[in-house]
């Protein structure tokens, strides 16, 4: 890391002593910079030019948006999903930015020796390889791409441990739990934790009459009451598969069994998750539903920086409600819990089947309630195996995708 000229004066309470600290400048790669998390990350970064320098930005196809970001942040590298998209970007950004494309480009900017911190904010299985590349290179990883951990949990955590990478959760629930755990957390028993409570908003269809669910459109599914997010995670929130994926994510991040994690529906999305200790104490993290809070927390950790998020007005919110999860309305929850308990390659299969089903729903090829049915169809016949390496994970992913397409073919 390079020392930056920023000098911070800390006045110790009750004393006249000033401590002078130098904050290191963090060089950042943002994987998926044109998405919802990517844009929020840049919004935090722009507030702290002395602390963060954008080293690389990546997008799949949105050339214009990436070009605009390059003009504003002057990264060393920009990476696109295809050669054709890279060709389009080159004349828009000039010579100062090196334009790469594809998996090799992503791996290069994720693992580059000059990079300190990698925001992993590509959506879906496409995020696995670059996030793993960052982990192998021992980077500080800000993990938004939960699918990487769902697919390759053991493998990913092993790589993080071997390379001494720093893994910080961006998902608001996991970031909340991280904040409620002791700084030297090593495991549930040792820390005296009884259980983790993942909070869930219940999404846009929490109170929709069950008979109407089948006819819900992609736009209705993407209209989340509290959060503004990309379309895939928005649909996952509507089916609550998102909470199922988060259950698996939490079990890996915090080394707990799925049975040690409960889900509580909390429609206001003010309490982002909770940790219950053996003595009955329950710690929670609260805040406005704005991803800039967990992003700023992880960017600056263990310090705190301004995120641009307004103060929480508890008087205006007035009340916080809690409900039990409804497995009849949200069958994806039980499917994800079963995959979490099976471990092995079951979560990778669940994730792959879900990605295929969500895409089919977004393309209006299947109805909303079919999403969980497709995943169920795949998981019913899935033979869980222990994936020994990345190839085995990718193989499970591909097989589950093919099976999901077969199930979908029966519906269309
Ligand atoms: P998004 O759809 O808004 O953005 C996705 C980004 O990934 C874009 O920059 C896109 O260009 C890039 N991308 C997509 N497919 C790609 C591919 N094949 N190769 C390379 N790049 C590709 O998604 P989002 O809402 O920002 O979510 C990103 C990740 O963060 C997801 O894993 C999601 O589950 C997680 N997450 C998001 C939120 C949120 O509030 N949006 C909250 C928690 C976790
Ligand atoms: Mg979340």
């Amino acid at each position: 890391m390079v020392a930056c000229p920023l000098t911070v004066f800390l006045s110790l309470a009750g004393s006249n002593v000033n401590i002078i600290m130098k904050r290191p400048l963090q060089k950042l790669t943002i994987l998926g910079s044109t998405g919802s998390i990517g844009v929020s990350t840049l919004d935090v970064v722009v507030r702290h030019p002395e602390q963060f320098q954008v080293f690389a930005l990546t997008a799949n196809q949105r050339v214009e948006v990436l070009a605009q970001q390059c003009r504003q942040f002057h990264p060393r590298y920009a990476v696109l999903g295809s050669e054709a998209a890279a060709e389009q970007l080159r004349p828009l950004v000039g010579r100062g930015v090196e334009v790469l494309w594809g998996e090799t480009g992503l791996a290069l900017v994720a693992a580059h020796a000059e990079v300190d911190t990698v925001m992993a904010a590509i959506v879906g299985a496409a995020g696995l390889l670059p996030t793993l590349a960052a982990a192998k290179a021992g980077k500080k990883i800000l993990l938004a791409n939960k699918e990487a951990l769902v697919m390759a949990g053991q493998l990913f955590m092993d790589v993080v441990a071997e390379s001494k990478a720093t893994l910080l959760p961006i998902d608001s629930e996991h970031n909340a739990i991280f904040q409620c755990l002791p700084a030297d957390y090593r495991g549930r028993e040792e820390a005296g934790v009884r259980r983790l409570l993942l909070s869930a908003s219940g999404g846009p269809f929490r109170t929709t009459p069950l008979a109407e669910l089948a006819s819900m459109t992609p736009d209705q599914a993407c209209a989340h009451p509290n959060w503004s997010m990309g379309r895939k995670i928005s649909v996952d929130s509507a089916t609550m598969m998102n909470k199922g994926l988060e259950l698996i994510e939490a079990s890996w991040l915090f080394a707990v069994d799925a049975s040690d994690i409960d889900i509580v529906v909390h429609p206001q999305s003010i309490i982002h998750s909770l940790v219950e200790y053996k003595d009955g104490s329950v710690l929670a993290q609260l805040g406005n539903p704005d991803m800039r809070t967990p992003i700023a927390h992880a960017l600056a950790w263990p310090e705190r920086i301004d995120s641009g998020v307004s103060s929480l007005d508890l008087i205006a919110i007035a009340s916080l409600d809690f409900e039990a999860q409804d497995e009849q309305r949200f069958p994806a929850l039980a499917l994800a819990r079963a995959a979490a308990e099976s471990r092995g390659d079951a979560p990778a299969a669940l994730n792959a089947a879900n990605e295929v089903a969500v895409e089919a729903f977004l393309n209006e090829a299947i109805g909303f309630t079919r999403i969980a049915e497709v995943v169920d169809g795949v998981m019913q016949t899935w033979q869980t195996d222990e994936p020994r390496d990345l190839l085995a994970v990718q193989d499970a992913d591909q097989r589950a995708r093919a099976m999901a397409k077969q199930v979908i073919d029966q519906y269309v």
Side-chain angles (χ1 to χ4, degrees), residues 8-21:
V8 186
F9 290 90
L10 282 180
S11 279
L12 292 182
S15 87
N16 294 323
V17 183
N18 281 330
I19 299 175
I20 301 172
M21 291 192 336

Side-chain angles (χ1 to χ4, degrees), residues 146 171-174 227 229 233 242-243 246 249 291:
K146 66 193 87 184
D171 220 338
S172 56
E173 297 77 4
H174 306 73
W227 299 95
M229 309 181 285
I233 184 178
N242 182 50
K243 212 48 56 184
E246 290 183 356
E249 182 187 12
M291 290 306 292

Side-chain angles (χ1 to χ4, degrees), residues 204-216 326 329 368-369:
F205 302 149
R206 184 175 59 89
T207 56
T208 306
L210 286 180
E212 291 175 23
L213 281 182
S215 59
M216 291 296 124
D326 180 347
R329 176 179 293 275
F368 178 75
T369 46

